[in-house]
Amino acid sequence: PASLTINAPRAPRRVGSDDAPDFVPGPSGAEREDSESLLGSQESGGSAGLSGGSHTSSKFQGVEVGVQGVLHGMNITKVSFMLFRIMKQYNLHHVLDYPCTSNLEWMPQFVKRMDFEMPGFLYSCVVSRNEEVEIVRLAFRDSVLPDIYVRDPSLKTIDIPHCDLLFSWNGMQFMHIQSAWNIIKAGKVSCKYQLLSSNPGFNNLKLIMKYNGTADGYLDLRKQPFLLDLPEKLVGNISVNPRHPAVMMLYDSNTMKRTMGLKF
């Protein structure tokens, strides 16, 4: 459907002014899954992660960030390792991160490592507002600057670049429900696969009744009004707080559907 049956979203913020184009190019050329191998044996000669991004001779088992891989209550070492594992398994080289501002604490480290692990790897970053472009540039100041696109998710139709994988981790959880739906629809049109974060068991209808439809850290994409069907692959045990679970769900855009109601 063009829109979900919810309260009307806030007035869209238009982007792409003359002094800040909606595309900022970087340099050219640029089932259930649990990460049991995260705890597996390491190759000799270095850390399993990046430890500053320099240990490219060791086996990659996720970025090393925060305290024992945990940032803001989420196991980012596992998130990054499973993202890499899915990319390898499905031969996905072009990742579109939307909204990439949710991952700036660890994504530059991940991108640097993928340049080593996956020849032909391409990372593109989508932000919601023009003023976020400089924030991304600063985060990648020690890495190759990715292509940056400005796309307002509150618009019903979002034109995003074609990609192998739309990656959206813990970003839609802070958006209006309609904006989150718009991103999913755009990914279904333009990307082969989508890897989306979700919070099982959360009652999305509370957002509509209490917060005018805007999420405050949690969304369950399998409940109303999204009603996404079972994913092709599910990555669980990401949150360190069992009261607030978080998962990543992988969908093939050609086959993903809703459990009931109108089709996409």
Side-chain angles (χ1 to χ4, degrees):
S3 62
L4 300 176
T5 306
I6 58 176
N7 289 352
R10 297 171 181 173
R13 179 188 294 107
R14 299 288 174 173
V15 296
S17 60
D18 292 339
D19 58 341
D22 62 355
F23 169 59
V24 182
S28 59
E31 71 256 15
R32 184 180 180 93
E33 282 280 344
D34 288 316
S35 52
E36 64 280 352
S37 59
L38 275 173
L39 303 177
S41 61
Q42 302 175 11
E43 294 182 8
S44 61
S47 164
L50 285 177
S51 186
S54 60
H55 291 285
T56 52
S57 61
S58 61
K59 185 176 180 180
F60 179 67
Q61 294 182 328
V63 298
E64 292 183 346
V65 291
V67 178
Q68 296 184 334
V70 175
L71 278 176
H72 312 299
M74 301 293 176
N75 188 340
I76 298 303
T77 295
K78 180 172 185 175
V79 169
S80 59
F81 174 72
M82 295 308 297
L83 172 58
F84 165 65
R85 183 169 171 170
I86 287 170
M87 290 165 56
K88 292 282 285 187
Q89 179 179 352
Y90 290 85
N91 195 29
L92 308 174
H93 288 82
H94 183 192
V95 174
L96 188 74
D97 190 0
Y98 191 179
C100 65
T101 47
S102 298
N103 307 313
L104 292 180
E105 292 177 86
W106 60 273
M107 188 56 74
Q109 188 183 143
F110 178 81
V111 170
K112 185 179 293 186
R113 181 64 185 235
M114 290 305 101
D115 286 338
F116 169 79
E117 294 282 351
M118 296 191 66
F121 171 71
L122 176 62
Y123 172 78
S124 299
C125 169
V126 184
V127 297
S128 301
R129 300 185 299 272
N130 292 323
E131 53 266 31
E132 292 173 334
V133 171
E134 188 58 30
I135 297 174
V136 175
R137 284 175 168 164
L138 288 174
F140 281 87
R141 61 187 178 275
D142 296 326
S143 307
V144 175
L145 183 68
D147 291 340
I148 306 172
Y149 299 84
V150 183
R151 297 292 187 270
D152 185 345
S154 68
L155 303 179
K156 287 187 176 181
T157 301
I158 311 172
D159 178 23
I160 61 174
H162 290 276
C163 66
D164 294 329
L165 179 68
L166 171 67
F167 179 64
S168 187
W169 166 254
N170 208 33
M172 291 189 286
Q173 278 72 14
F174 295 91
M175 293 182 177
H176 193 280
I177 289 178
Q178 184 66 61
S179 295
W181 180 246
N182 293 342
I183 291 175
I184 294 171
K185 286 196 306 174
K188 186 166 173 56
V189 171
S190 299
C191 303
K192 295 179 182 178
Y193 286 86
Q194 299 189 50
L195 186 59
L196 312 172
S197 61
S198 184
N199 306 101
F202 182 75
N203 184 1
N204 300 326
L205 299 182
K206 288 182 179 179
L207 302 176
I208 299 173
M209 295 183 292
K210 285 185 160 185
Y211 304 107
N212 194 30
T214 299
D216 189 27
Y218 306 100
L219 274 182
D220 187 345
L221 298 182
R222 299 209 58 233
K223 287 190 175 181
Q224 292 187 8
F226 302 99
L227 296 174
L228 295 187
D229 204 354
L230 287 170
E232 183 165 326
K233 193 178 294 292
L234 180 73
V235 180
N237 299 323
I238 296 173
S239 172
V240 299
N241 185 349
R243 296 181 59 189
H244 301 292
V247 300
M248 290 194 301
M249 304 189 299
L250 180 70
Y251 289 94
D252 183 329
S253 292
N254 287 325
T255 59
M256 72 183 299
K257 58 185 179 180
R258 305 178 75 203
T259 56
M260 60 184 297
L262 297 175
K263 298 180 180 180
F264 280 93

